Amino acid sequence: MVNAKSVVLSSTKPVSSFLFKNKSMLNSTVSLSPILVMSAAASLAFSAPAMAQQQNAQSTTLQADNTSLNIDANPDIKRNAAINPESGNQPLSSNLTDQLIQKANQKNLATHPTWLRLHYYEPDQKAKAPTSTKQKAYKSKIEKPEFFISEQGKTDPQAELEAFIKATVTQGIDGDDSVACRFPARTYWLKEQLGLEQVQPNCPDFDAWLKNLDPQKLSVVFAEEYPDRPVSAFGHTLMLIDSTASLADPKAIDKAHALNDTVAGNPDDSFIKYAINSAFGGYPNDITIEPYPQKLADYLQNDNRDVWTYGLNLTKAEVQQIMRHVYETKDLELPYYFTMDNCASEILRYIDVVRPNGNLLDEFTLAVVPSDVVRLLQKERLIDQQNYFPSDKTLAQAKLNNSQSTQLPSSSIDANNQLIPTQLTPVDNNPLDAHSLQRMKIGAGAQDDTGYISLAYRGGFNDPLDRPSGYPQNFHLEAGSVELRVYKDDEKNKGDHNRVELQELAILRGRSFNPINTAKKGDSLFSSWGVNVQATQVKDGSQMNNNNRSGDPDSSHLVGSFGYEKGISAAFGSPQAGSGQLPPQVCYALGTGLAQVGKGLSKGYRVGAGVNLGCRYQFSPNARLIGEVQVPYWYHGSTDNDQIKGSYWQPILSLGAQYDLDRNKAIRIQGSYELQDGIEGRDDIQLAYVTYF
């Protein structure tokens, strides 16, 4: 086995200009010496995993450079390849190429899912289908012209198929610059579809690359969500490539490799620019293959993220074909989109290439999230095993939980890049155990004496009341949350309470607690934090008498709001025995800074600072209770109106509880109370049914 560090990703080489400068040769009859005839015929047949062990004694066999082609095995080739014993030359008729194309057309290979996926073709609803593709128009996501053989290849799968066959015949199959060697996955698949399996191309670069990796099994590696790095807040997935040696000895991870697809962002860019470019394709992707211990150590030791691996139920032939496809696409530098074209989507695309009867990527329309991908793979029965690797801080927490656990190592990887097995009970963060990503909530409630019906949707991921299994402990993140309320009140003297109201629209809302009395206490005393960016309904406490406000008796206003929290937290209770789990209960005190903008506010804005005090108590794995008091001090600026306060305290008390009926269903009750006098709609209580999907 070649040392892992010797694996080098060579760049895809450009198509030889010979293809386009000598197009007339593609359709002409070529006279070749016996050796060159063999190479040309072999290129028609494409490549195969191995040469036939035996040849029929009555067949005519051409041999050259250790590549053999059984002519009798294919009648089309036999009819078009006539040996001239007197001249020693073997003319190759253009009909041979035509018949291969005809056979491909009869099988509709140009629109076969595999051919389309190998080229990143997608239906193009805006374009008119080319005459060579009768069914529909397509367009590839790839912009690099060297990825295609035909000049029309980006938008015409049929033209690309024909050009591929013709170019392969013209070029031959030997040499790293040949079509067969530059695109081994396409070559192998076409060879199988056309029933020609007698030939192997001679590709030194590709063969050395594949030999160094020795891919025998692929696994998905899931690194849990990492709250202190926003771009990794949704978790990360990559591929583990096990070799013969690493499969024989599970501790020998130095004989395995990691196939990683990530964003090739500019580290000098600001956080805001980095986030925007990552979200909207402003950076290319970066596909790398590196020693697995190096990548695993980054997660376990540097980021302190627990890791789960899931073996994929793929055949050896499928593993090999995926690696052929990786070889021909690794240098494309596709635009990286944080939601759809990311580390997780690439894994699904690899599987779709070798499983044309399914389409895993079609299961996702809004975002491809690593944890959801793992659950989909389990649903499709593509996972055949799983393993857990605790981070360094998880191991340290296990020692705190049990002072007698002196036998536990300080890390799961030793100095020699060997895996150290532990008997540690896994932390409850396996994404296979998590509730589904999206959430709907249907509730009924009342604000003072005004009743309402609430309908809420959340794109992801997990709030403090949600079932915690499958998510990092004490890390809560919500994105894409919206709530509508329909109010009904027949007491006309209270004002127009018959209305539909947008209660909130949250872009991002999250908290990360790093309790000071645990191994995950962070780098400072004030390591717990929170952030929110949202539009939400608020009560403006600047009015001395809100009940007398003309035309606005409910005093509720939709404002844009931004808040940041920083502070201290502590954990208590008994963690799971034999694990690195943190104590289940947590209390916190967070200093907060706030800014809100809205036309319903005095002067159209207010800024605030204060403190949030709260506790979360977990009665059981199925029941949780949260209580919190928010004490912000708001400032609007000075005013000459004695009925309007320029600054004031506005405390709010909130309580919430949830009971899980099962993994994806729950009952939730929430309430809040404004402690400031003179605000109408001070109390709000709601009972809701929650479902995850």
Side-chain angles (χ1 to χ4, degrees), residues 313-340:
N313 185 21
L314 300 172
T315 66
K316 185 175 180 180
E318 289 171 333
V319 170
Q320 298 292 314
Q321 179 66 345
I322 286 176
M323 297 311 299
R324 294 186 189 99
H325 183 55
V326 169
Y327 180 82
E328 63 187 38
T329 61
K330 54 186 167 50
D331 300 313
L332 290 177
E333 296 183 343
L334 292 169
Y336 188 97
Y337 294 91
F338 189 65
T339 55
M340 290 301 294

Side-chain angles (χ1 to χ4, degrees), residues 19-32:
L19 291 177
F20 302 112
K21 292 180 179 179
N22 300 278
K23 293 182 181 179
S24 61
M25 296 182 63
L26 296 179
N27 296 315
S28 63
T29 300
V30 182
S31 295
L32 305 172

Side-chain angles (χ1 to χ4, degrees), residues 195 340 347 374 444 506 612 617 632:
M340 290 301 294
I347 289 174
V374 173
N612 295 336
Y617 190 88

Side-chain angles (χ1 to χ4, degrees), residues 496-514:
D496 184 15
H497 281 192
N498 298 330
R499 66 188 188 279
V500 178
E501 187 174 272
L502 175 63
Q503 179 65 19
E504 72 168 22
L505 176 61
I507 299 173
L508 187 67
R509 182 168 52 213
R511 276 177 172 171
S512 177
F513 299 116
N514 298 292

Side-chain angles (χ1 to χ4, degrees), residues 71 74-81 96 99-100 103:
I71 294 179
N74 193 296
D76 291 340
I77 295 180
K78 185 177 180 180
R79 284 194 299 269
N80 292 282
L96 177 56
Q99 288 187 20
L100 286 176
K103 186 174 183 180

Side-chain angles (χ1 to χ4, degrees), residues 476-492:
H476 311 289
L477 181 68
E478 295 182 277
S481 178
V482 60
E483 179 183 358
L484 291 174
R485 289 184 177 182
V486 180
Y487 287 87
K488 177 69 175 178
D489 195 333
D490 294 329
E491 298 183 48
K492 303 301 182 182

Side-chain angles (χ1 to χ4, degrees), residues 138-167:
Y138 292 95
K139 185 177 182 180
S140 174
K141 294 167 57 176
I142 308 303
E143 297 294 336
K144 291 188 174 183
E146 58 264 31
F147 188 71
F148 307 99
I149 307 305
S150 169
E151 291 179 320
Q152 292 78 40
K154 180 175 174 62
T155 57
D156 193 340
Q158 179 66 37
E160 180 65 15
L161 177 69
E162 295 181 10
F164 195 92
I165 294 175
K166 293 177 181 179

